[in-house]
Amino acid sequence: MGYIGGGTLYDRKVELDVIAEVLEGARDGRGSVTLVEGAGGIGKTRLLQEARRLARTVGLRPMTARCAELERDFAYGVVRQLFEPVVASIPAEQRTSVLSGAARSVAALVTAGSDTRRDDEPWKPDTMMATLNGLYWLTSNLAEREPLLLVVDDAHWGDNASLRFIDFLARRIEELPVSVLLAVRWTEAADTLCLLTGVATEAATRTVRLHPLTDAAVRSFVAEGLCGEPDAPFVAACHKVTGGNPFLLGELVSELSERRIPPVAGNVDEVLRLGPPSVARALELRLARMPVEAGVLARAVAVLGDGPDPAVAAAFCGLSPEDVVRAGDALARCGVFGEDRSLAFRHSIQRAATYAGLSRAERAEGHHRAARLLMDRRAAPEQVAAHLLLSDPQSQPWAVDVLREAAVTALGRGAPEAAATYLHRALAEPPEAAVRGNVLIELCVAEARSPEPSSFDALRLGLELLEDPRKRAEVAVEVARAIGMVADMAAALDLLDRAIGDLGDRDEALSLRLQAEFVTVARLYPASRDTALERLRSLRASATPGNVAGSILLANLALERVEACDLPEAVDLARQALSGGTLLAEERWVFAYPANVLVWADLTDEAERAWTDLFLHAQGRGSITMLHLAAIWRSHLALRCGSVDHAEADARVGLNVCRERAWMFSRSYAVAFLVDALVERAELAAAERVVAENPAPVELHYLLASLGRLRCAQGRLAEGLELFLRCGARLADQGADRNPSVIPWRSCAAVAAAHLGRREQAYRLAGEEVAAAQAFGAPRALGLALRAQALAEEGEAQIERLEEAVSILGRSPARLDEARALGDLGAALRRAGRRSEAETHLRAALELAHSCGGIAVRDRAREELLRSGLRPRRFTSIGVESLTPSERRVADLAVAGLGNREIAQSLFVSLKTVEAHLSSVYRKLGVSARWQLSDVWAGDQEPAGLSR
């Protein structure tokens, strides 16, 4: 690469070929990330400039950001540089479509001049995930208009929030017409190394490493810069003192040109005397030959950061605006500033050298003065805070206020790490005693929202500094929720209990809210469960719908009544908890209690409406937390109804979200339900891969039961039985082992024991299950228990019990379980020699299981028919039956009227994935357009109780 002023690229053909290849790939829809690595001054910036030029020639729109050390804590600063100019350039009437769907959640972030504080919900738990998802869809929306090139120079100085988005995008970029180029210097910014390393290891990422210039390139470089063919010894000397570094070579050539030293062998000693070049020394010499105002301005820009408002620069320097313009022009002419008159150093190395030339005290004092100057001019809080982070604490109340305001803005944008940084600095100022407690609590919440939360010592100290018990209680509710997000439940309970005691009877409504929060958390843990239930019963009279505390208490009471096998009251309480939409608006995981009570009561139509309402609410609000919760539990509902394809599709949506946030607890549920679906589809190897690729807390009861079913399907019956018994023990710890409608672990264990020949154990477990199911009254649980009891018996007793199980399951929404029992009854009748009756039941099992997508049950019924000497129906993969679960889910949503982009956002997949699925659907169904789908869609194949 040549001297920047000369504009010539040297020695970079290989690198340019790689960049041309990735740009053409993006144009053709194959997205990628390219890391351009190299030492400072090696030519990364110049290569990116050429990449932007090439992008225009192949039809890509370049979007550019340049990172700076000063802005590393400016939340989503790089993102805003990339997207704000593009969004602003789109006509207003078209901007709405670009910022539609999930991208709507980042409209304020990428629209210049917008207020991004989100004061109505600054502490929303999943803002980070919603922002990342929104930025992804904004990128996708823009790329649909024209392929994109995202260029980030000096990415090692990028803010964490923006780099997290780049990492998020890198894992999905292959299906977008987008190319990302990142210039990286690995020796800088160790705190961002993890995120950049993550990007570097993605499958869609390739690396370009820039090396020093060769002797031939140095010769051409010197010839262009000094306007004459250089002698070989002169070239060798230039190469020696610069190491072939293009920037240093440019500085050397500039100095040689300034001194009018010709490139001949006789001047080798002059070259050696000037090097090895010191940028700081070269700058010092250059500035010494210029007016004093130039040096003052250069040092000011080194502190203020590149591109300050000229009026701000003038005030900082104590110069007139005209003097600033003249000094800036002079610095540009001598190659210190760029040529665009933006008061910015031509290269970051020059700024670093100028900044390093200031003493530590000068730097700290300069940043403090800059912060005050910007605050007085009503600059954005983050701009002021960036300087405060680099200044020394001076016990200034205004500084604490600005830092706290910057923290609220950062949290509103989904950048909790930046918020925590601001608040740590606010504590160091330090704040006045009256506000110190608030700062500590805000810090605690910010850290709880971070991907890697720290301890909650700041919280405890902060609460102690709050004198007003009401204030402490209000904060305790919010912070307990924050702690709950990272599963430090012991700390949450301690906090809530102390707040309840401190508040006393000062505020009845607030006290009730604290109690409701305490009960919700405490009931999950054996050590505090009895206390939780005792308090819950004492609060029964206060559990009324229409307010948050009352609805939360109703949800807990509904769950308690399920555990006590009181079906009518459980259903009534669940309906009250869901009435009015209070829990829906609250966006709390406690919503799962009443919604699942309806599932366990076999009121699947009501349950499906509740979960779908939550799913649609989550989409509208951009709440990824609630979206994944709804998807996971809709999968559970679909399994119970016998809709295996829908269960698999929803479980995969939930699992995709869990992977992004490392939500291990939720991941356990998603894995459990996905494994169940795959077992029902007879895809045992795929189920085993899901378990291996998604480590989760194995002791979760649902996952233990799912692993037990997988092991039994694999023929590992003893292992399966052990897992079912462990599931029961886990449920007993939570007081939830009595009701088989939640998890029929005894029925599962009894079937495994029967197949192992342990009939006594099987009959005992099944008998206990039948009694418990009869006490609760939901038909599915009783049908499953009777089937398990039948398999522990023989002969006519077994047939009678299976007939009873089939009859009861036929009155439930559990169609696949009915098909399973029908198959067992048919097999028992075959063994009894009642061939005609066996055929009737086996064929019914075959058809019903096939309509549910239950391949394992269908295949067992088919085998029994063959053993009876009968010819079962052949199922051919044509029409709707030929679709995979993912294709079926996409087609469902398309028939329901959703567009491709809406479908992709609903399923948390890429737009190209949806397009590929629909193309496959069209081919398999023999249609050519979307409108034709409804004509061939087999609506009567949908399991009862689960609507599309």
Side-chain angles (χ1 to χ4, degrees):
M1 174 186 287
Y3 174 47
I4 292 176
T8 304
L9 274 168
Y10 297 105
D11 251 3
R12 298 296 183 241
K13 182 180 184 306
V14 173
E15 293 83 353
L16 284 172
D17 287 344
V18 171
I19 289 175
E21 180 184 339
V22 299
L23 294 179
E24 290 168 2
R27 179 196 60 197
D28 298 336
R30 302 187 308 276
S32 64
V33 178
T34 304
L35 291 176
V36 180
E37 300 177 358
I42 202 66
K44 300 183 294 295
T45 297
R46 182 65 182 86
L47 190 65
L48 296 186
Q49 289 174 350
E50 184 63 15
R52 291 198 297 273
R53 187 191 67 78
L54 288 174
R56 295 186 184 94
T57 66
V58 298
L60 271 67
R61 175 166 190 162
M63 299 162 61
T64 304
R66 181 182 179 187
C67 307
E69 285 183 280
L70 187 61
E71 298 171 358
R72 285 168 60 186
D73 292 298
F74 194 105
Y76 288 108
V78 172
V79 161
R80 297 182 76 175
Q81 285 188 62
L82 289 170
F83 288 98
E84 275 187 3
V86 178
V87 171
S89 71
I90 298 172
E93 63 274 12
Q94 300 174 27
R95 200 175 300 158
T96 302
S97 64
V98 170
L99 293 170
S100 64
R104 187 167 53 246
S105 66
V106 297
L109 176 60
V110 298
T111 304
S114 295
D115 180 7
T116 61
R117 287 182 51 179
R118 296 187 188 178
D119 288 330
D120 60 325
E121 48 180 330
W123 311 106
K124 184 179 175 183
D126 66 348
T127 307
M128 177 192 291
M129 191 64 189
T131 301
L132 294 175
N133 192 47
L135 288 170
Y136 167 81
W137 282 106
L138 174 60
T139 306
S140 178
N141 293 348
L142 290 171
E144 189 178 29
R145 295 166 59 91
E146 57 183 330
L148 303 176
L149 169 64
L150 276 60
V151 177
V152 181
D153 200 1
D154 289 331
H156 44 272
W157 287 329
D159 63 278
N160 275 329
S162 294
L163 293 181
R164 184 162 284 109
F165 163 64
I166 297 294
D167 181 56
F168 186 90
L169 178 63
R171 280 173 272 145
R172 297 162 175 77
I173 200 169
E174 289 179 290
E175 295 187 346
L176 293 178
V178 176
S179 178
V180 175
L181 293 184
L182 306 175
V184 177
R185 196 188 319 164
W186 290 110
T187 55
E188 298 283 345
D191 56 334
T192 61
L193 190 62
C194 181
L195 287 169
L196 288 171
T197 301
V199 174
T201 57
E202 289 299 323
T205 299
R206 60 196 305 174
T207 299
V208 170
R209 293 181 176 85
L210 299 187
H211 301 286
L213 299 180
T214 63
D215 287 340
V218 171
R219 171 180 290 278
S220 298
F221 192 117
V222 173
E224 181 183 1
L226 297 181
C227 301
E229 188 63 28
D231 292 346
F234 190 93
V235 171
C238 290
H239 196 286
K240 178 179 179 180
V241 300
T242 64
N245 182 291
F247 178 78
L248 298 181
L249 185 60
E251 291 296 295
L252 175 63
V253 169
S254 292
E255 191 64 23
L256 291 169
S257 177
E258 184 77 19
R259 293 169 181 260
R260 301 183 184 278
I261 298 174
V264 297
N267 287 327
V268 166
D269 288 343
E270 286 290 324
V271 173
L272 296 176
R273 186 176 60 80
L274 289 172
S278 165
V279 176
R281 182 162 58 88
L283 275 172
E284 185 179 340
L285 292 172
R286 207 173 296 177
L287 292 174
R289 296 193 290 264
M290 300 175 66
V292 67
E293 292 84 0
V296 171
L297 180 61
R299 286 184 283 273
V301 172
V303 171
L304 292 170
D306 284 333
D309 184 294
V312 172
F316 186 88
C317 296
L319 300 173
S320 69
E322 295 76 17
D323 286 340
V324 166
V325 171
R326 284 192 291 270
D329 288 343
L331 290 165
R333 284 194 301 273
C334 74
V336 176
F337 280 5
E339 298 175 354
D340 59 358
R341 306 191 67 173
S342 63
L343 302 185
F345 284 93
R346 179 166 59 85
H347 199 287
S348 59
I349 291 178
Q350 293 170 308
R351 179 189 177 274
T354 305
Y355 191 73
L358 300 172
S359 68
R360 184 200 170 284
E362 288 174 323
R363 293 195 293 267
E365 189 278 332
H367 285 298
H368 191 274
R369 191 153 48 91
R372 184 71 207 208
L373 179 63
L374 289 168
M375 191 201 70
D376 290 343
R377 291 174 177 265
R378 301 182 182 277
E382 310 100 290
Q383 288 182 282
V384 181
H387 288 284
L388 288 172
L389 292 175
L390 297 171
S391 68
D392 291 333
Q394 296 188 18
S395 300
Q396 297 289 333
W398 66 265
V400 174
D401 293 342
V402 167
L403 289 160
R404 292 177 68 191
E405 191 173 357
V408 170
T409 302
L411 272 178
R413 291 177 180 164
E417 294 159 302
T421 298
Y422 295 139
L423 293 167
H424 275 295
R425 175 61 182 80
L427 286 173
E429 188 62 18
E432 295 175 339
V435 299
R436 181 171 170 78
N438 288 330
V439 176
L440 283 164
I441 289 164
E442 290 162 8
L443 172 60
C444 173
V445 174
E447 290 185 336
R449 299 287 185 264
S450 299
E452 297 181 3
S454 59
S455 70
F456 293 98
D457 292 339
L459 165 66
R460 297 181 180 90
L461 180 57
L463 287 175
E464 289 173 3
L465 293 174
L466 289 177
E467 297 181 359
D468 183 357
R470 286 186 179 82
K471 181 63 176 177
R472 283 203 301 273
E474 291 169 356
V475 170
V477 171
E478 296 304 316
V479 178
R481 293 178 63 181
I483 296 174
M485 290 292 292
V486 295
D488 190 352
M489 297 302 182
L493 288 175
D494 178 65
L495 164 64
L496 290 167
D497 214 16
R498 291 175 59 188
I500 291 168
D502 290 346
L503 183 62
D505 57 2
R506 293 180 179 87
D507 188 323
E508 184 178 345
L510 183 54
S511 178
L512 186 63
R513 181 65 190 272
L514 286 167
Q515 293 281 10
E517 294 288 342
F518 180 91
V519 167
T520 301
V521 176
R523 68 173 302 131
L524 297 175
Y525 298 92
S528 56
R529 177 178 169 76
D530 290 343
T531 300
L533 293 181
E534 183 180 342
R535 291 195 190 184
L536 179 61
R537 295 184 188 107
S538 70
L539 296 167
R540 177 65 179 86
S542 301
T544 56
N547 63 84
V548 175
S551 296
I552 292 174
L553 289 171
L554 286 166
N556 280 280
L557 284 165
L559 184 60
E560 187 271 334
R561 288 292 84 199
V562 163
E563 294 166 352
C565 293
D566 185 344
L567 176 60
E569 188 173 3
V571 170
D572 180 60
L573 289 165
R575 287 169 174 163
Q576 289 186 61
L578 293 171
S579 66
T582 303
L583 285 183
L584 189 67
E586 184 71 2
E587 296 188 18
R588 297 288 310 281
W589 54 265
V590 75
F591 182 93
Y593 289 179
N596 278 335
V597 166
L598 298 175
V599 176
W600 299 324
D602 288 343
L603 299 171
T604 51
D605 286 346
E606 289 185 60
E608 198 265 338
R609 283 195 296 273
W611 283 120
T612 298
D613 285 348
L614 181 63
F615 194 90
L616 295 175
H617 174 86
Q619 281 184 307
R621 296 273 291 176
S623 174
I624 304 299
T625 300
M626 292 298 105
L627 186 146
H628 99 283
L629 181 74
I632 287 172
W633 287 107
R634 283 202 322 185
S635 173
H636 173 58
L637 172 61
L639 282 167
R640 294 174 70 101
C641 291
S643 183
V644 178
D645 288 354
H646 281 186
E648 179 182 342
D650 273 336
R652 290 192 185 279
V653 172
L655 185 56
N656 286 343
V657 179
C658 291
R659 285 171 177 155
E660 293 299 334
R661 289 305 309 270
W663 286 330
M664 300 300 288
F665 196 66
S666 295
R667 181 185 294 187
S668 296
Y669 287 103
V671 169
F673 302 148
L674 181 54
V675 166
D676 279 340
L678 292 171
V679 168
E680 297 292 8
R681 290 179 57 79
E683 297 178 15
L684 304 185
E688 195 66 63
R689 283 196 301 274
V690 169
V691 174
E693 294 170 2
N694 297 278
V698 173
E699 289 305 317
L700 177 78
H701 39 52
Y702 274 105
L703 184 53
L704 287 168
S706 297
L707 290 175
R709 283 186 279 270
L710 174 59
R711 295 294 171 252
C712 288
Q714 293 168 330
R716 298 156 62 178
L717 295 169
E719 294 178 52
L721 175 58
E722 175 59 27
L723 285 163
F724 293 135
L725 296 176
R726 280 170 57 192
C727 172
R730 179 68 171 162
L731 285 167
D733 287 342
Q734 297 180 355
D737 61 320
R738 293 173 55 196
N739 193 329
S741 194
V742 178
I743 299 179
W745 65 273
R746 292 184 186 85
S747 293
C748 295
V751 172
H755 285 304
L756 286 167
R758 304 177 187 176
R759 293 194 175 276
E760 183 178 343
Q761 181 184 20
Y763 202 82
R764 175 179 56 79
L765 287 165
E768 293 173 359
E769 192 90 317
V770 168
Q774 288 172 334
F776 186 58
R780 177 180 181 268
L782 181 56
L784 294 180
L786 289 169
R787 171 183 175 263
Q789 193 174 54
L791 295 182
E793 296 177 325
E794 294 179 320
E796 198 61 31
Q798 184 180 75
I799 292 173
E800 290 177 3
R801 193 73 73 213
L802 283 170
E803 287 175 337
E804 188 179 0
V806 167
S807 175
I808 291 174
L809 287 169
R811 300 196 297 270
S812 82
R815 297 179 67 208
L816 186 56
D817 292 314
E818 180 188 358
R820 202 183 327 270
L822 279 166
D824 291 333
L825 177 57
L829 290 167
R830 177 191 63 78
R831 290 192 296 271
R834 296 157 63 175
R835 187 172 180 273
S836 177
E837 294 174 81
E839 179 182 1
T840 299
H841 290 94
L842 289 171
R843 291 197 186 281
L846 188 76
E847 296 295 333
L848 187 54
H850 179 73
S851 71
C852 292
I855 307 303
V857 175
R858 186 196 74 184
D859 288 350
R860 282 196 293 274
R862 186 174 185 277
E863 290 170 6
E864 286 295 334
L865 283 167
L866 290 171
R867 287 173 182 161
S868 301
L870 299 168
R871 180 178 296 177
R873 169 190 167 189
R874 285 186 173 275
F875 294 98
T876 55
S877 295
I878 60 173
V880 174
E881 294 177 357
S882 68
L883 303 181
T884 67
S886 295
E887 291 168 349
R888 178 74 177 267
R889 176 56 96 193
V890 168
D892 276 342
L893 296 173
V895 170
L898 273 68
N900 288 8
R901 198 166 295 277
E902 293 173 294
I903 295 172
Q905 293 173 23
S906 295
L907 301 181
F908 212 70
V909 296
S910 71
L911 183 60
K912 185 167 285 189
T913 296
V914 172
E915 293 168 349
H917 283 331
L918 279 177
S919 295
S920 180
V921 169
Y922 295 162
R923 185 180 68 255
K924 291 179 179 180
L925 299 185
V927 301
S928 58
R930 194 188 205 91
W931 63 268
Q932 296 173 304
L933 275 179
S934 58
D935 294 337
V936 297
W937 203 241
D940 59 346
Q941 294 187 11
E942 190 62 41
L946 188 68
S947 66
R948 275 200 287 264

